[in-house]
Amino acid sequence: MKNNIAFLLLVFTSFVFAKQDKYLKHTVSQGETITQIAQKYKVTPFDIYKLNPDSQKGIQLNSVLLIPSNGNSVITSQVKTQVLPTRKATTHLVLPKETLFSLSRMYNVSVDEIKNANVELLKNGLKIGQNVVIPASDGTSAFSENSVTSAPKEVVKSVSKPESKQESKQQVTSNSTEKFHVIAPKETKFGISKMYGITIQELERLNPEIVSSFPIGLRLVISGNPATQAVYDTTKSTSTTGNSSGFSTKRYLEEYVVRPNETVYSISRDYGISEQELLYLNPELKKALKLGMILRVPKGQKKEVFIKEKLDLVKTIKADKKKKLVMLLPFNVSKIQSDTVNSTEARLKRDKFLNLTLDFYSGALMAIDSAKTLGLNIDVKIYDSQETKNTSSLVELYTNHSFENADAILGPFYQSNVEKLAEWLINANTPIISPLSKEYGKSYPNLYQSLPSEDKMRNTMFDYMRSKQGNIVAVIDSKKQSIYDYFSKNQPDVKIIGLSEKGTLVADSLNVRLSKTRPNYVVLVTEKTSMILNTTNIMQKLKQEYQMQLAILEYNETLDFEEVKLANLTNLNMMYPSITKPNDSAMNTGFENSYKKQNNVFPNQFAVRGFDVTFDTLLRLSQEKTFEETIQSASTEYVENKFDYDQSEAGYVNNGVFVLYYDTDLTIKEAK
C-alpha cells in the first residue's frame, strides 16, 4: 500500500483546515423525544438525524446528541407544536432505517402525500439511497406530539406499547390466506419468528424488505399459525428468570457461563441471535461482560465451533499412490498465434490478463518442482482454457479429456467457468479449486473458493475489533451508498458518525461517540483526499484523550497521495484486511531467491499466489486423508497466503484473511 514508507516521510505537506462550524451538545433527559428536542432548538428532526444517525434507532437517557445551531440547520424551520411555516417542495435522500411514516413526521406531511408525489419511484417500496420528493406544506401540522390520527392504521398500532400479551396478539390481522404482524418497539426477527413458530429465513423470504432493515411499524406477512403459547413478550418480564428477557417460558432459555476471551458479539454469533437480543435477555451486559457471568440464552441454539489446527502438511506426506492434478490456465495461445498485427513481444506489453496468467503459471511451476523435490507422487497436466469473459474452450477440453479421473482441478480463472466445471463433475465429487475469483455465485459441494470474498475481509476486521472489546464507529462518505447498505445489513451495531452539510466530519460528532474505557476503532470509508485529511487530523487531536486506531476496509490509492501525511497513518496505526502479509521467514526468502534465479525478477503477487495455491493443493492431495477431509481439519500458510476453508452456501470458502497495521517504526505488522 505504501511502497516506500521511509521516502514518503520526506515529502510531507501542510494542510490548513477551515474553522469548524459551531454545534451544540444536548444530553437526553427522561422521556424526551427527537421531536421535542428539535422543537427546543428550533431545528428539524432531520437535522438531528443527519449529525446523529444512530438516533434513528432510538435515544437513551443521558446520551449526548450533537445539535446544529440555527445557522447550520440542514432544513431551516421554526418548529411549533401545531403549526409550521409553509415550505417549498424539496428532496430527501433515504437513509438506513427510514420509513415513509418517519419521513412524514420529519417533514410534517402525510404518508399519502409523499406516495402521490413519488408514484413511479415507490412502486416497489421505499429503498435506501432513493431521492424522494417531499411535497410542499401549507403550514398546517399533519402531526402533533399528542396525535397520530393521520398515521396509517398499522403504524398507529406500533406507537402504542401493548399492555399485555393478549393485546400484543391483537396486532395480527388475517384473512383466509394471510396473517400479518406489525413490528413493535424492541421486537426482533428472532423474537417474531419464535412467536409464530417459523424460521428467520422464512420470515425474510416472505418480507424481503427486512433483510437490510427492520423498521418499527412495518406490517409483516406471517406464514403458519401463531404458537399456542407466545414465547416472546415485549412488555412483561418472566417470573421464572427474574429478567425482562422477552421470553415467557423457561423452556426456551438456558444458562450459559461466560468463558475467557469471549465477547458479547462472539456469544450472540454462537447462538444465532443479534447483540441487541442478547442484551435484552441480559440487561446487566450493558455495564460489562465479565468472566464467569451467568447469561440467559436461547435453549439448544449454540453452534459448536471447531477450531482447525494450523498444520505443516510437509511433515505428513503420504506418497504411495500417484495423484493427478489438472490445471486450466487461460494462455489463449491460439489468439496469440492468429494475431498478425502484433508480435508476441508487443502483445505481452499490452495484455495485462496474459501477463497475470504467465506470472501465476511461473509460480505454479515452482510449486510443482518443490513438490517433486519433496518426493510427492504426482502427475500434473496443464491445459489452455482459452478464456475471456464470454468464451472458453471448456466444453472441448471436457469432451476430449477424462477429467473424472483427476483427483483435483485447479482453475479455470473466471467464476462462471469454475461453476460450470463444478456442476459437470459434481457426481464424481472432484474438487474444483477457483484460484483467483472473488465473485461467489452458485453453490456446489465440490467447489473450493481459494480467494476470500470482500465481505469476508470486511467481516474479519470487525471480528478482530470486537474481540478487543472495541468501541467501533464509522465515518462514511455520503456517496458510498453500498457501504451504508453493508453496515445496515451486516454491522448494525456500529455507530455511524454524522457529517456536516458540506459532507465533512465535525470533531464533536466523533468526540461524543468515543469511549474513555475501551479501545476506539474509527472505520473510514472514502476516496476523497480532503475527507481523509479532515478525519485523520481530528483523530490526531482526540488521540491525546482516547485510545484510538484508524481502520479501513479495503485498499485505497488515495492514501498513497503525497497530501496524506504518513505520520498520521502510522501514529494512528492504520489497520486494514489483506489476503497476504509481509513474510521474512526462511520459506519466503528461499522462494524469492529461487524465483529470482530462474526468472531474473522478483515474484509479484500473482506469482506468489500461483505458488501458494498450487503447493497447498498438491500437499492436500498427498495426505492419508482425502482432499476434503484435509480441508475440514487443517488450515495452512505458505509464502504469503493462508488457506482456512469453511463450508458455506457458496461451497467451501477460504477464510484466510490477515489483519495488518502500520506500526510507528514504519513497518507493516500483523495485528494479534
Side-chain angles (χ1 to χ4, degrees):
M1 200 176 291
K2 291 278 186 181
N3 294 325
N4 195 333
I5 293 181
F7 173 76
L8 287 179
L9 279 173
L10 300 177
V11 291
F12 287 155
T13 59
S14 61
F15 188 90
V16 180
F17 287 89
K19 185 178 180 181
Q20 296 283 353
D21 293 331
K22 297 297 182 182
Y23 294 85
L24 306 173
K25 294 180 183 179
H26 175 84
T27 302
V28 178
S29 302
Q30 182 69 40
E32 277 191 315
T33 67
I34 288 292
T35 302
Q36 291 171 337
I37 296 170
Q39 290 173 349
K40 179 178 180 179
Y41 291 97
K42 293 183 172 55
V43 297
T44 69
F46 176 72
D47 293 322
I48 298 177
Y49 290 141
K50 186 74 174 175
L51 287 172
N52 308 271
D54 288 338
S55 63
Q56 296 177 80
K57 304 174 186 177
I59 53 177
Q60 303 295 326
L61 179 65
N62 295 326
S63 61
V64 179
L65 298 176
L66 207 63
I67 310 295
S69 62
N70 276 339
N72 293 325
S73 176
V74 177
I75 303 172
T76 304
S77 63
Q78 298 296 322
V79 182
K80 298 181 181 179
T81 304
Q82 294 292 339
V83 181
L84 296 174
T86 57
R87 186 197 64 249
K88 296 180 180 179
T90 185
T91 59
H92 173 86
L93 178 65
V94 180
L95 300 175
K97 307 295 185 184
E98 288 184 328
T99 65
L100 286 174
F101 178 60
S102 68
L103 294 183
S104 70
R105 298 210 68 181
M106 184 184 301
Y107 289 100
N108 190 45
V109 295
S110 70
V111 171
D112 287 339
E113 286 177 309
I114 298 177
K115 286 182 176 179
N116 292 337
N118 301 272
V119 176
E120 291 298 319
L121 185 65
L122 299 178
K123 274 186 176 180
N124 297 317
L126 189 69
K127 305 293 183 184
I128 296 171
Q130 290 177 329
N131 280 306
V132 177
V133 175
I134 305 297
S137 70
D138 59 3
T140 302
S141 176
F143 300 100
S144 71
E145 280 298 308
N146 301 315
S147 174
V148 291
T149 55
S150 298
K153 183 179 294 184
E154 65 268 24
V155 178
V156 172
K157 292 175 182 178
S158 75
V159 297
S160 299
K161 193 171 183 180
E163 295 180 359
S164 65
K165 295 178 193 175
Q166 202 65 28
E167 187 174 343
S168 177
K169 286 184 179 181
Q170 290 174 2
Q171 293 183 12
V172 182
T173 61
S174 65
N175 54 33
S176 58
T177 58
E178 291 182 308
K179 289 182 172 64
F180 301 97
H181 177 89
V182 179
I183 301 175
K186 296 187 178 179
E187 285 191 315
T188 64
K189 295 178 190 178
F190 174 78
I192 293 174
S193 65
K194 283 289 186 182
M195 182 186 296
Y196 294 102
I198 61 176
T199 64
I200 293 176
Q201 290 76 14
E202 179 68 11
L203 190 65
E204 290 180 337
R205 185 186 68 78
L206 291 167
N207 304 273
E209 63 271 30
I210 69 171
V211 172
S212 59
S213 64
F214 201 66
I216 295 170
L218 181 68
R219 190 172 71 163
L220 302 177
V221 177
I222 302 297
S223 173
N225 297 317
T228 56
Q229 182 181 21
V231 298
Y232 191 85
D233 176 10
T234 60
T235 61
K236 285 192 175 183
S237 61
T238 157
S239 59
T240 55
T241 61
N243 173 60
S244 57
S245 64
F247 289 83
S248 61
T249 172
K250 193 172 182 179
R251 70 188 178 93
Y252 288 101
L253 294 176
E254 63 184 0
E255 293 181 342
Y256 178 77
V257 180
V258 177
R259 300 173 183 176
N261 299 321
E262 287 190 313
T263 65
V264 171
Y265 168 74
S266 68
I267 296 172
S268 62
R269 178 194 60 194
D270 290 346
Y271 279 91
I273 60 176
S274 67
E275 292 184 57
Q276 291 82 356
E277 185 74 24
L278 187 62
L279 291 170
Y280 193 56
L281 288 168
N282 304 275
E284 62 271 24
L285 285 177
K286 293 180 180 179
K287 296 181 179 179
L289 178 69
K290 298 179 181 179
L291 180 64
M293 180 183 286
I294 299 176
L295 304 180
R296 287 162 290 279
V297 293
K299 188 174 183 179
Q301 282 194 200
K302 183 170 175 59
K303 303 173 184 176
E304 293 301 325
V305 180
F306 174 73
I307 305 300
K308 294 181 185 176
E309 185 179 0
K310 183 179 175 182
L311 296 178
D312 181 359
L313 297 180
V314 172
K315 297 179 180 179
T316 54
I317 291 172
K318 187 176 179 62
D320 56 337
K321 185 179 179 181
K322 184 180 288 285
K323 298 293 183 178
K324 299 178 181 179
L325 173 66
V326 170
M327 299 185 69
L328 301 175
L329 306 180
F331 298 109
N332 292 302
V333 172
S334 61
K335 293 181 181 179
I336 297 175
Q337 292 174 341
S338 62
D339 189 344
T340 59
V341 177
N342 300 292
S343 65
T344 301
E345 184 179 355
R347 190 178 181 92
L348 282 171
K349 287 182 178 180
R350 66 179 180 85
D351 193 333
K352 293 182 179 180
F353 187 65
L354 176 57
N355 276 278
L356 181 156
T357 301
L358 293 174
D359 289 334
F360 185 93
Y361 176 58
S362 65
L365 288 179
M366 288 198 63
I368 295 169
D369 288 343
S370 298
K372 290 180 178 178
T373 301
L374 291 171
L376 272 63
N377 192 0
I378 56 173
D379 178 18
V380 181
K381 295 193 179 299
I382 302 173
Y383 299 101
D384 184 1
S385 56
Q386 300 189 56
E387 290 178 81
T388 66
K389 287 185 178 180
N390 302 311
T391 62
S392 76
S393 62
L394 204 58
V395 174
E396 181 183 350
L397 290 171
Y398 181 79
T399 303
N400 296 334
H401 302 279
S402 300
F403 285 169
E404 289 88 351
N405 296 327
D407 293 292
I409 298 177
L410 183 58
F413 276 14
Y414 282 103
Q415 182 67 20
S416 59
N417 293 328
V418 169
E419 291 174 3
K420 189 182 299 181
L421 189 59
E423 183 180 8
W424 291 343
L425 295 171
I426 191 171
N427 291 330
N429 198 30
T430 305
I432 310 298
I433 299 99
S434 175
L436 291 174
S437 176
K438 289 184 179 180
E439 299 177 1
Y440 299 178
K442 295 180 181 179
S443 172
Y444 298 97
N446 59 329
L447 178 57
Y448 297 82
Q449 302 283 1
S450 71
L451 206 60
S453 67
E454 289 183 358
D455 274 357
K456 179 59 192 176
M457 295 180 71
R458 293 170 179 172
N459 293 340
T460 298
M461 282 283 291
F462 287 104
D463 286 349
Y464 173 81
M465 291 185 284
R466 290 189 178 99
S467 73
K468 300 298 181 182
Q469 304 285 344
N471 173 48
I472 310 173
V473 300
V475 179
I476 306 175
D477 191 328
S478 57
K479 294 184 178 180
K480 296 284 187 179
Q481 186 58 49
S482 62
I483 300 297
Y484 276 104
D485 294 343
Y486 166 79
F487 274 85
S488 177
K489 181 178 179 180
N490 299 286
Q491 313 296 341
D493 59 314
V494 174
K495 303 168 188 173
I496 308 297
I497 305 299
L499 304 177
S500 71
E501 187 178 1
K502 297 177 181 178
T504 58
L505 176 65
V506 179
D508 283 344
S509 292
L510 179 59
N511 194 8
V512 297
R513 296 291 183 267
L514 299 178
S515 171
K516 289 278 190 182
T517 59
R518 299 161 60 193
N520 296 282
Y521 296 100
V522 180
V523 181
L524 177 60
V525 185
T526 184
E527 293 172 1
K528 294 179 181 177
T529 304
S530 59
M531 193 168 179
I532 294 172
L533 294 170
N534 170 226
T535 303
T536 53
N537 186 62
I538 289 173
M539 288 181 66
Q540 286 283 30
K541 295 176 181 177
L542 292 176
K543 196 171 186 245
Q544 299 174 15
E545 302 177 50
Y546 301 95
Q547 183 182 348
M548 186 180 301
Q549 189 167 2
L550 175 66
I552 59 174
L553 299 181
E554 59 189 356
Y555 173 74
N556 187 345
E557 290 182 350
T558 312
L559 294 166
D560 287 332
F561 291 176
E562 292 183 357
E563 293 92 338
V564 180
K565 293 185 178 182
L566 181 63
N568 283 359
L569 304 184
T570 55
N571 289 340
L572 294 171
N573 296 127
M574 188 182 75
M575 182 169 60
Y576 61 97
S578 175
I579 61 172
T580 63
K581 72 170 184 178
N583 188 350
D584 57 0
S585 68
M587 180 179 187
N588 180 47
T589 303
F591 170 75
E592 285 188 343
N593 292 337
S594 298
Y595 188 94
K596 175 69 164 57
K597 185 176 181 180
Q598 290 187 27
N599 300 282
N600 296 318
V601 293
F602 283 108
N604 63 15
Q605 59 175 322
F606 297 110
V608 176
R609 181 76 186 169
F611 176 86
D612 281 353
V613 70
T614 305
F615 197 52
D616 181 66
T617 302
L618 292 171
L619 284 176
R620 289 184 185 276
L621 288 174
S622 303
Q623 304 294 311
E624 187 170 357
K625 296 180 179 180
T626 66
F627 183 90
E628 186 174 13
E629 286 173 337
T630 68
I631 289 288
Q632 294 171 345
S633 60
S635 67
T636 56
E637 192 174 320
Y638 301 101
V639 178
E640 287 185 354
N641 296 271
K642 180 165 61 174
F643 301 95
D644 181 10
Y645 291 90
D646 274 335
Q647 198 164 18
S648 75
E649 66 278 1
Y652 282 96
V653 297
N654 183 17
N655 297 323
V657 179
F658 300 100
V659 178
L660 308 178
Y661 72 96
Y662 284 12
D663 202 355
T664 51
D665 64 0
L666 306 183
T667 61
I668 296 175
K669 295 179 180 176
E670 183 179 3
K672 301 293 187 179

